[in-house]
Amino acid sequence: MRTSQFPLSTLKETPTEAEIISHQLMLRAGMIRRLASGLYTWTPLGLRVLRKVERVVRDEMDGIGALELLMPAVQPAELWQESGRWQKYGPELLRVKDRHHREFCVGPTHEEVITDYTRRELKSYRQLPLCYYQVQTKFRDEIRPRFGVMRAREFIMKDAYSFHADVASLKATYQAMFDAYSRIFTRLGLKFRAVEADTGSIGGNGSHEFHVLADSGEDAIAYATQGDYAANVEMAPTFPAGTPRPAATALMTRVATPHAKTIDEVAAQLNLPAHRVLKTLLVRGRAVPAVAVVLRGDHELNDIKAAKHPLIADPFEFVAPAEAIALTGANVGSIGPVGLSIPVIADYAAADCANFACGANEDGWHLVGVNWERDVPLPETADLRNAVEGDPAPNGMGTLAIVRGIEVGHVFQLGSTYSAAMKCEFLDEQGKPATAIMGCYGIGVSRIVAAAIEQNHDTNGIVWPVPLAPFELAIVPINGHRAPAVQAEAERLEAVFTGLGYSVLLEDRGLRPGVAFADMELIGIPLRIVVSERGLAAGEYETRLRWERENHAVAAADLLAWVQGKLSG
RNA sequence: CGGAGUGUAGCGCAGUCUGGUAGCGCACCUGGUUUGGGACCAGGUGGUCGUAGGUUCAAAUCCUAUCACUCCGACCA
């Protein structure tokens, strides 16, 4: 391909709409153009990268025996009503009516369609297991699309679904999928982590998310400093210290804390660190109007864990501030466990505190030197907070560290949620009807492109991992339009490398070298070969790897081997 | 949906307070000089100032409504 024949519409300046680096660079490199909020056109350049991702994904899916099919993007409401999700899904589901006023949705996912397809085809356990996948455009009417294709409304996803006669078969396919995902992200050259994930409202057992590690990620991942434990922070359990509480050395005393509302304000007035101040939050109870949850001041309530607690309402909800006064006699900010008449649950870490401060259940007053058992009965304890950096790791090895990640894949043992609701059945070995067990497995194909840029860029632009690059090789002749020998040599190299199966972009716009280099760097071509009169005279080429800062002088005879060595790795 | 903000040429912006009929940089076109890290000179194309009303002799500018977009929050495979 030659630059004169290929639309490179690079921008020197960053459009204001782009907030994160991958979005900025995708716009500047001319990979995407916005059509409306959350809707993007992939340019020829951008599409080349997208296709590279798809190629690797397809290759690995085919490799584990998954079968590609293609389902409609638009789906009839009836299927969603059958699964119950027509009601559950909410406004994120784009619903449309056709000319006959029949209801449809633009598919955000395809569990219903695949289950419907399979129940029509599936007769016997002998057909199982089955595993299908597709690469398809999905639509989710996100409340707030942002970050370009990272969180777009329309996006491309690889979704796979498996059907099984028993759990053992499901687990085997789940493991094969898990391994295939690991190979995909490895092949794409991305730093990633598989983490244990919340199974959310869908239910089911095993679930892992695959995250590309990047500071701009929307998810927090907790991982063990030793061993390979990793989980979404919302999933990482915390534990009691397991050592005796420090001795009660202080006397419980009432202290005025005028106008102190937040933990920081209270801690400052009392001259105590935040972890010595306990906070008391009122949440809706399952059987009672309110339950008090006590946490260390420096910890955050985890509402997923809270909603799973038998005393706490699911879904989780805070008690309205006005109600708090009636229940405790004090406003939010001055509530504490001492003398409360509603049920109290203490987080493990809060229960391990001694000589702590807490609200006095009277506005403007706190208690200091408080101790469990001596001053207030030790309530029921539970894991109710988000794990933080330095917490003991759940695998018993080292402590937790926290990094940010971009979720690019999710594998999920669905169970029979959809197959039961939609009666996806088969005859088992005894000739009895049985319900299929399902797994589902997604990869955010378009999101991977953005995630890869978040992880691979520098001040000059994108630094594609070789497997993702829109072109592997850039050939830049210096003053080719004035030096026929240079131009001829550049074209010869183009033909040679193209013939060897490399994707080559030849710069033939007659630009000044600086402009040509800047463009090739912005769009992230991994390897650049410069052809010049100087080089020809010396019998060598100047090459540069995108992730390096120095040029290499490569003798003409060695060029082929050099390129092959760099691009095969 | 709540809060904040922005809409002026393809992109980045000034002009709005104080009304007088639209400008700068980049990009683009023509000619010339240049050519190893985003050149220079000269000339040029391109905007119903988001949209619709209103006030006024006169509106990018003041008023009203409306739309779009961005950010923060709630929400979320």
Side-chain angles (χ1 to χ4, degrees):
Chain A
M1 184 59 69
R2 301 187 177 189
T3 51
S4 61
Q5 307 297 314
F6 194 84
L8 286 183
S9 58
T10 52
L11 299 173
K12 226 182 270 187
E13 289 176 285
T14 304
T16 36
E17 68 186 67
E19 192 69 11
I20 59 170
I21 197 79
S22 61
H23 189 193
Q24 293 172 354
L25 289 176
M26 287 181 81
L27 289 171
R28 285 190 52 208
M31 293 178 62
I32 54 170
R33 290 291 182 249
R34 195 180 69 91
L35 177 64
S37 179
L39 303 177
Y40 291 87
T41 295
W42 288 81
T43 66
L45 181 73
L47 187 62
R48 291 181 71 96
V49 179
L50 196 62
R51 293 285 186 246
K52 289 283 185 83
V53 178
E54 289 179 1
R55 199 170 308 160
V56 173
V57 169
R58 281 199 169 92
D59 192 48
E60 291 294 338
M61 287 297 103
D62 295 343
I64 58 168
L67 302 167
E68 183 166 8
L69 48 56
L70 184 60
M71 294 179 269
V74 175
Q75 310 176 13
E78 285 76 14
L79 283 183
W80 287 71
Q81 285 156 352
E82 206 177 337
S83 73
R85 285 208 290 185
W86 188 256
Q87 283 75 27
K88 271 191 213 158
Y89 218 94
E92 198 176 307
L93 184 65
L94 180 65
R95 296 154 212 255
V96 294
K97 283 185 183 166
D98 71 5
R99 67 201 301 166
H100 305 294
H101 306 292
R102 283 191 283 255
E103 290 193 289
F104 291 84
C105 63
V106 183
T109 175
H110 282 71
E111 279 85 4
E112 281 81 0
V113 179
I114 194 76
T115 306
D116 178 67
Y117 167 70
T118 302
R119 69 181 169 185
R120 294 166 191 277
E121 305 297 321
L122 181 62
K123 318 277 189 239
S124 158
Y125 74 94
R126 292 175 190 275
Q127 292 167 272
L128 296 175
L130 284 168
C131 188
Y132 300 111
Y133 78 96
Q134 66 172 345
V135 177
Q136 225 248 16
T137 296
K138 312 281 190 201
F139 191 95
R140 292 181 192 174
D141 201 355
E142 294 281 349
I143 296 171
R144 188 147 82 84
R146 60 188 129 173
F147 306 149
V149 299
M150 186 79 84
R151 191 167 206 79
R153 291 195 292 177
E154 190 177 290
F155 59 100
I156 295 174
M157 186 177 191
K158 184 285 301 177
D159 48 327
Y161 307 90
S162 65
F163 294 83
H164 310 271
D166 54 53
V167 172
S169 170
L170 168 64
K171 287 191 183 302
T173 296
Y174 183 85
Q175 188 60 46
M177 227 11 121
F178 186 100
D179 295 342
Y181 273 38
S182 299
R183 286 194 297 273
I184 287 169
F185 298 119
T186 301
R187 279 179 62 180
L188 292 175
L190 300 174
K191 290 184 277 295
F192 71 99
R193 251 189 128 115
V195 307
E196 291 178 16
D198 182 27
T199 49
S201 51
I202 308 174
N205 297 313
S207 176
H208 286 85
E209 292 169 351
F210 286 78
H211 286 261
V212 166
L213 305 182
D215 292 336
S216 60
E218 293 187 273
D219 293 295
I221 299 162
Y223 68 94
T225 49
Q226 298 164 42
D228 56 6
Y229 175 84
N232 201 308
V233 152
E234 59 194 27
M235 281 290 290
T238 66
F239 307 96
T243 52
R245 259 198 308 276
T249 52
L251 283 179
M252 183 166 83
T253 316
R254 228 163 135 263
V255 181
T257 49
H259 313 302
K261 294 236 177 271
T262 65
I263 287 293
D264 286 344
E265 289 165 0
V266 172
Q269 287 202 17
L270 297 176
N271 199 23
L272 284 172
H275 65 81
R276 296 279 307 281
V277 182
L278 299 192
K279 59 183 170 188
T280 304
L281 308 171
L282 297 189
V283 306
R284 195 66 69 200
R286 197 160 293 193
V288 292
V291 173
V293 174
V294 181
L295 293 162
R296 244 168 59 178
D298 58 332
H299 287 156
E300 279 178 4
L301 179 72
N302 177 315
D303 56 4
I304 294 173
K305 292 178 179 177
K308 288 177 181 161
H309 192 281
L311 290 179
I312 297 172
D314 182 11
F316 172 87
E317 193 189 354
F318 278 113
V319 166
E323 234 176 298
I325 307 172
L327 289 161
T328 67
N331 272 300
V332 172
S334 296
I335 300 173
V338 182
L340 267 193
S341 57
I342 56 174
V344 178
I345 312 170
D347 176 69
Y348 291 136
D352 283 329
C353 287
N355 306 308
F356 55 82
C358 64
N361 294 319
E362 185 178 345
D363 283 355
W365 291 89
H366 276 74
L367 299 172
V368 299
V370 185
N371 283 279
W372 297 113
E373 293 173 311
R374 187 192 70 183
D375 306 316
V376 52
L378 183 66
E380 177 173 351
T381 59
D383 171 20
L384 294 170
R385 67 178 172 94
N386 286 330
V388 295
E389 188 105 18
D391 277 339
N395 62 355
M397 298 166 73
T399 58
L400 287 179
I402 293 182
V403 292
R404 301 207 67 85
I406 299 163
E407 186 187 351
V408 291
H410 198 160
V411 292
F412 205 127
Q413 296 179 34
L414 261 185
S416 53
T417 311
Y418 294 92
S419 48
M422 298 181 65
K423 295 201 166 38
C424 179
E425 298 176 340
F426 60 93
L427 292 182
D428 66 15
E429 290 176 67
Q430 280 75 44
K432 299 261 169 46
T435 301
I437 298 171
M438 294 173 62
C440 69
Y441 321 89
I443 286 184
V445 173
S446 43
R447 179 180 280 186
I448 283 176
V449 177
I453 296 171
E454 288 294 325
Q455 215 175 60
N456 299 284
H457 62 85
D458 64 15
T459 51
N460 293 330
I462 301 168
V463 185
W464 288 117
V466 173
L468 285 176
F471 297 94
E472 295 163 295
L473 214 50
I475 298 177
V476 182
I478 302 290
N479 297 327
H481 57 293
R482 288 193 324 186
V486 167
Q487 186 62 29
E489 179 58 11
E491 290 176 9
R492 190 188 69 83
L493 289 180
E494 180 200 18
V496 167
F497 285 108
T498 302
L500 287 169
Y502 292 107
S503 54
V504 178
L505 188 59
L506 171 64
E507 175 56 66
D508 66 340
R509 292 174 293 183
L511 298 174
R512 301 167 66 83
V515 181
F517 294 160
D519 260 2
M520 293 300 144
E521 284 163 6
L522 176 59
I523 67 176
I525 311 300
L527 202 154
R528 180 176 80 203
I529 301 173
V530 174
V531 183
S532 64
E533 291 186 289
R534 204 160 77 196
L536 286 184
E540 62 186 31
Y541 303 96
E542 175 189 295
T543 63
R544 178 119 143 203
L545 297 167
R546 182 62 184 85
W547 52 88
E548 292 181 352
R549 290 273 167 188
E550 295 82 33
N551 295 326
H552 301 263
V554 178
D558 303 334
L559 184 66
L560 200 61
W562 193 86
V563 169
Q564 285 170 333
K566 296 300 177 186
L567 290 182
S568 64

